Amino acid sequence: MQHTGPKALARDFDNNIRKIESAAYTDPTRTHTVASLLQHERDRGVHRQGSESSLYLREQSGAMGLLWIRRTLAFQSDFYERLLEDDNADPIDAIHHAYQQQLKPYHGWTLEKCYNLLVKNNMPPRRLLLARVGGYDDQYSDASFYEKKTCDELKRLVALWRPLIQKWKRSFVELGMEDTRRA
């Protein structure tokens, strides 16, 4: 299970990218932004009416791919932000917090159990996690230098992601495409 989980997550992310690309290729002149791709799918009737003011997104649509990528980025952003709050932050606490906020509301029982198993079997200690993210050996004599550099880069990444995530969410909400069903 140690390598299966991360590989499955990477495959899922790749599948979401393919959904977006496929939708964008239908009419590249009308699908060059997130909002325009969502509007294009809405105009074409790709999705079915859900609750009063919201659509149920078709599973293989570009909108569904964008929705899950946005949720994944929000999850990663919250995780890194929590992990970087202090030098003693526990990665397991940080990831559980991010999961509760960003993914759990959209996961059914099975996905929640898989997530818990994945975290339990794959989450390294903070120092090793940062070394893996930063691409350095945590046994280097100057590992603390690289750890600080990695933390600084992650803070910049989170600062870049936040407005993007918020803008994407606004587009989904304004178009009535914020599908909140559980997977």
Side-chain angles (χ1 to χ4, degrees):
M1 178 75 179
Q2 184 173 5
H3 297 292
T4 304
K7 286 181 183 176
L9 293 174
R11 261 192 322 274
D12 191 47
F13 195 85
D14 188 53
N15 285 338
N16 286 322
I17 294 289
R18 278 197 227 113
K19 290 174 189 178
I20 297 163
E21 289 174 338
S22 178
Y25 292 143
T26 61
D27 188 349
T29 62
R30 292 196 59 217
T31 57
H32 57 280
T33 67
V34 168
S36 65
L37 187 143
L38 295 175
Q39 185 67 56
H40 182 64
E41 285 193 351
R42 185 178 176 82
D43 293 348
R44 288 181 44 231
V46 170
H47 311 288
R48 65 183 171 91
Q49 190 63 45
S51 62
E52 302 155 12
S53 62
S54 185
L55 296 175
Y56 286 153
L57 303 183
R58 192 172 60 83
E59 180 58 39
Q60 293 304 313
S61 68
M64 185 64 85
L66 283 166
L67 180 70
W68 280 105
I69 286 177
R70 190 197 79 215
R71 288 175 178 167
T72 300
L73 291 176
F75 166 74
Q76 289 177 319
S77 182
D78 278 9
F79 170 58
Y80 292 142
E81 193 169 61
R82 187 82 168 203
L83 183 68
L84 301 172
E85 282 179 352
D86 79 58
D87 294 343
N88 297 315
D90 178 18
I92 291 180
D93 290 343
I95 205 162
H96 281 309
H97 174 79
Y99 180 76
Q100 292 292 323
Q101 297 298 309
Q102 301 298 337
L103 297 177
K104 185 179 179 185
Y106 313 108
H107 280 180
W109 183 87
T110 303
L111 278 177
E112 185 179 345
K113 297 304 173 199
C114 288
Y115 158 81
N116 287 325
L117 188 60
L118 181 65
V119 168
K120 179 181 173 190
N121 291 325
N122 289 285
M123 184 55 69
R126 184 179 194 276
R127 183 178 171 102
L128 181 56
L129 174 67
L130 290 170
R132 287 180 182 169
V133 169
Y136 61 89
D137 187 336
D138 71 321
Q139 300 302 313
Y140 285 163
S141 59
D142 56 353
S144 62
F145 166 80
Y146 290 107
E147 183 174 314
K148 182 183 178 338
K149 184 177 176 187
T150 300
C151 288
D152 290 343
E153 290 172 355
L154 285 173
K155 287 175 185 174
R156 282 195 303 279
L157 180 63
V158 168
L160 288 171
W161 277 349
R162 281 289 175 212
L164 174 70
I165 293 165
Q166 291 167 352
K167 185 173 183 174
W168 282 15
K169 182 158 188 166
R170 268 193 315 276
S171 295
F172 274 89
V173 170
E174 288 170 2
L175 291 168
M177 297 175 80
E178 184 66 18
D179 192 335
T180 59
R181 293 173 298 159
R182 290 180 179 257

mmCIF file of all heavy atoms in Angstrom, residues 2 35-36 45 54 66 89 96-98 110 125 130 132 137 159 178:
data_model
loop_
_atom_site.group_PDB
_atom_site.id
_atom_site.type_symbol
_atom_site.label_atom_id
_atom_site.label_comp_id
_atom_site.label_asym_id
_atom_site.label_seq_id
_atom_site.Cartn_x
_atom_site.Cartn_y
_atom_site.Cartn_z
ATOM 1 N N GLN A 2 2.127 1.130 0.446
ATOM 2 C CA GLN A 2 2.959 2.316 0.603
ATOM 3 C C GLN A 2 3.094 3.108 -0.689
ATOM 4 O O GLN A 2 3.045 4.331 -0.667
ATOM 5 C CB GLN A 2 4.337 1.919 1.122
ATOM 6 C CG GLN A 2 5.196 3.134 1.391
ATOM 7 C CD GLN A 2 6.501 2.774 2.057
ATOM 8 O OE1 GLN A 2 6.802 1.615 2.227
ATOM 9 N NE2 GLN A 2 7.256 3.771 2.426
ATOM 10 N N ALA A 35 -13.334 30.020 -16.319
ATOM 11 C CA ALA A 35 -14.718 30.498 -16.418
ATOM 12 C C ALA A 35 -15.296 30.234 -17.803
ATOM 13 O O ALA A 35 -16.460 29.828 -17.926
ATOM 14 C CB ALA A 35 -14.789 31.985 -16.078
ATOM 15 N N SER A 36 -14.504 30.451 -18.858
ATOM 16 C CA SER A 36 -15.036 30.247 -20.213
ATOM 17 C C SER A 36 -15.269 28.762 -20.505
ATOM 18 O O SER A 36 -16.229 28.408 -21.177
ATOM 19 C CB SER A 36 -14.127 30.888 -21.268
ATOM 20 O OG SER A 36 -12.866 30.266 -21.317
ATOM 21 N N GLY A 45 -25.046 22.220 -22.495
ATOM 22 C CA GLY A 45 -25.918 21.276 -21.801
ATOM 23 C C GLY A 45 -25.218 19.990 -21.406
ATOM 24 O O GLY A 45 -25.848 18.933 -21.345
ATOM 25 N N SER A 54 -28.256 24.571 -8.830
ATOM 26 C CA SER A 54 -26.947 23.985 -9.110
ATOM 27 C C SER A 54 -27.072 22.810 -10.080
ATOM 28 O O SER A 54 -28.090 22.119 -10.114
ATOM 29 C CB SER A 54 -26.305 23.510 -7.806
ATOM 30 O OG SER A 54 -25.006 23.050 -8.039
ATOM 31 N N LEU A 66 -11.747 20.085 -13.370
ATOM 32 C CA LEU A 66 -11.355 21.341 -12.714
ATOM 33 C C LEU A 66 -11.782 21.373 -11.247
ATOM 34 O O LEU A 66 -11.035 21.848 -10.387
ATOM 35 C CB LEU A 66 -11.974 22.532 -13.441
ATOM 36 C CG LEU A 66 -11.312 22.936 -14.749
ATOM 37 C CD1 LEU A 66 -12.211 23.888 -15.528
ATOM 38 C CD2 LEU A 66 -9.959 23.572 -14.476
ATOM 39 N N ALA A 89 5.312 21.545 13.868
ATOM 40 C CA ALA A 89 4.013 21.066 13.386
ATOM 41 C C ALA A 89 4.118 19.606 12.955
ATOM 42 O O ALA A 89 5.066 19.209 12.276
ATOM 43 C CB ALA A 89 3.533 21.932 12.227
ATOM 44 N N HIS A 96 -4.581 15.938 8.433
ATOM 45 C CA HIS A 96 -5.944 15.665 8.889
ATOM 46 C C HIS A 96 -6.779 16.949 8.900
ATOM 47 O O HIS A 96 -7.946 16.934 8.505
ATOM 48 C CB HIS A 96 -5.955 15.001 10.259
ATOM 49 C CG HIS A 96 -5.641 13.541 10.222
ATOM 50 N ND1 HIS A 96 -6.271 12.650 9.383
ATOM 51 C CD2 HIS A 96 -4.747 12.803 10.925
ATOM 52 C CE1 HIS A 96 -5.792 11.440 9.563
ATOM 53 N NE2 HIS A 96 -4.859 11.503 10.490
ATOM 54 N N HIS A 97 -6.185 18.041 9.327
ATOM 55 C CA HIS A 97 -6.891 19.326 9.324
ATOM 56 C C HIS A 97 -7.284 19.711 7.891
ATOM 57 O O HIS A 97 -8.430 20.084 7.632
ATOM 58 C CB HIS A 97 -6.022 20.415 9.945
ATOM 59 C CG HIS A 97 -6.622 21.775 9.838
ATOM 60 N ND1 HIS A 97 -7.615 22.219 10.675
ATOM 61 C CD2 HIS A 97 -6.394 22.781 8.960
ATOM 62 C CE1 HIS A 97 -7.970 23.441 10.321
ATOM 63 N NE2 HIS A 97 -7.240 23.801 9.288
ATOM 64 N N ALA A 98 -6.335 19.624 6.983
ATOM 65 C CA ALA A 98 -6.603 19.971 5.581
ATOM 66 C C ALA A 98 -7.670 19.052 4.993
ATOM 67 O O ALA A 98 -8.561 19.506 4.261
ATOM 68 C CB ALA A 98 -5.317 19.895 4.766
ATOM 69 N N THR A 110 -16.164 5.054 1.850
ATOM 70 C CA THR A 110 -15.050 4.271 1.306
ATOM 71 C C THR A 110 -13.820 5.144 1.065
ATOM 72 O O THR A 110 -12.713 4.776 1.462
ATOM 73 C CB THR A 110 -15.468 3.577 -0.011
ATOM 74 O OG1 THR A 110 -16.619 2.770 0.242
ATOM 75 C CG2 THR A 110 -14.349 2.721 -0.551
ATOM 76 N N PRO A 125 7.855 11.636 8.975
ATOM 77 C CA PRO A 125 8.038 12.753 9.901
ATOM 78 C C PRO A 125 8.299 14.051 9.127
ATOM 79 O O PRO A 125 8.721 14.030 7.960
ATOM 80 C CB PRO A 125 9.273 12.359 10.715
ATOM 81 C CG PRO A 125 9.499 10.913 10.439
ATOM 82 C CD PRO A 125 8.832 10.587 9.140
ATOM 83 N N LEU A 130 9.702 17.264 4.340
ATOM 84 C CA LEU A 130 10.247 18.472 3.705
ATOM 85 C C LEU A 130 11.435 18.146 2.813
ATOM 86 O O LEU A 130 11.603 18.757 1.753
ATOM 87 C CB LEU A 130 10.608 19.514 4.764
ATOM 88 C CG LEU A 130 9.404 20.141 5.457
ATOM 89 C CD1 LEU A 130 9.851 20.973 6.652
ATOM 90 C CD2 LEU A 130 8.578 20.968 4.488
ATOM 91 N N ARG A 132 11.819 15.357 1.127
ATOM 92 C CA ARG A 132 11.261 14.773 -0.098
ATOM 93 C C ARG A 132 10.667 15.852 -0.998
ATOM 94 O O ARG A 132 10.874 15.843 -2.203
ATOM 95 C CB ARG A 132 10.194 13.737 0.252
ATOM 96 C CG ARG A 132 10.771 12.469 0.812
ATOM 97 C CD ARG A 132 9.675 11.482 1.140
ATOM 98 N NE ARG A 132 10.218 10.271 1.728
ATOM 99 C CZ ARG A 132 9.475 9.339 2.289
ATOM 100 N NH1 ARG A 132 8.157 9.457 2.328
ATOM 101 N NH2 ARG A 132 10.032 8.269 2.803
ATOM 102 N N ASP A 137 18.561 15.371 0.602
ATOM 103 C CA ASP A 137 18.727 14.295 1.573
ATOM 104 C C ASP A 137 18.666 14.896 2.970
ATOM 105 O O ASP A 137 19.447 15.797 3.291
ATOM 106 C CB ASP A 137 20.071 13.606 1.339
ATOM 107 C CG ASP A 137 20.268 12.367 2.189
ATOM 108 O OD1 ASP A 137 19.631 12.261 3.262
ATOM 109 O OD2 ASP A 137 21.066 11.507 1.797
ATOM 110 N N ALA A 159 0.909 31.113 -1.313
ATOM 111 C CA ALA A 159 0.479 32.491 -1.594
ATOM 112 C C ALA A 159 0.025 32.646 -3.048
ATOM 113 O O ALA A 159 -0.880 33.428 -3.339
ATOM 114 C CB ALA A 159 1.602 33.470 -1.276
ATOM 115 N N GLU A 178 -21.037 24.345 -8.621
ATOM 116 C CA GLU A 178 -20.315 23.871 -7.434
ATOM 117 C C GLU A 178 -20.984 22.590 -6.936
ATOM 118 O O GLU A 178 -21.768 22.606 -5.989
ATOM 119 C CB GLU A 178 -20.296 24.960 -6.351
ATOM 120 C CG GLU A 178 -19.507 24.619 -5.128
ATOM 121 C CD GLU A 178 -18.018 24.477 -5.359
ATOM 122 O OE1 GLU A 178 -17.491 24.958 -6.385
ATOM 123 O OE2 GLU A 178 -17.366 23.870 -4.520
#
